[in-house]
Amino acid sequence: QVQVRESGGGLVQPGGSLRLSCEVSGSLADLNAVAWFRQAPGMERAGVGCSMRANGVTLYPDSVKGRFTISRDNANNTMYLQMNSLKPDDTGVYYCATDCTPGSWYSWGQGTQVIVSS
């Protein structure tokens, strides 16, 4: 399994922005899919974006659509999650993944914590 390392989280006020980074241990360009997930306090992990290489489509749930954007820097094997207009409900630990639908066997990274609070 490709290893990932998330970074860029922090404390931000509502309406603010953060850019999360995900460095992968292999070739980002060769991955069929990359994704971001988050786990809010007391809740299950949920997807916040799925980017598929095959068709070039990136999907977002309605809760973040228009505010979150996944991008790739293949030269540096790093993907990003740009988060704008942050809301308190965006608070959670954010994880990147190399599969949009990871199975129960999937080994998650450490994640990076995002706290949206005034």
Side-chain angles (χ1 to χ4, degrees):
Q1 181 179 314
V2 175
Q3 294 182 330
V4 299
R5 185 192 299 271
E6 301 95 342
S7 62
L11 175 64
V12 62
Q13 296 185 44
S17 298
L18 283 175
R19 188 194 194 195
L20 307 183
S21 298
C22 173
E23 299 175 75
V24 304
S25 62
S27 174
L28 178 63
D30 291 339
L31 294 174
N32 292 326
V34 294
W36 284 93
F37 294 78
R38 71 184 177 193
Q39 187 168 18
M43 301 186 68
E44 299 290 335
R45 202 189 326 262
V48 296
C50 166
S51 180
M52 295 165 286
R53 185 182 66 175
N55 56 14
V57 171
T58 302
L59 302 176
Y60 305 93
D62 289 340
S63 59
V64 306
K65 191 177 299 181
R67 300 188 299 117
F68 289 14
T69 304
I70 293 174
S71 62
R72 306 186 189 208
D73 182 354
N74 289 333
N76 292 296
N77 295 318
T78 302
M79 59 175 290
Y80 303 95
L81 180 67
Q82 178 67 47
M83 306 185 296
N84 299 324
S85 301
L86 284 163
K87 306 174 181 179
D89 285 348
D90 295 320
T91 294
V93 179
Y94 284 70
Y95 304 86
C96 61
T98 56
D99 194 331
C100 292
T101 56
S104 60
W105 51 266
Y106 189 82
S107 295
W108 297 93
Q110 185 172 334
T112 183
Q113 187 176 46
V114 173
I115 300 176
V116 184
S117 175
S118 60

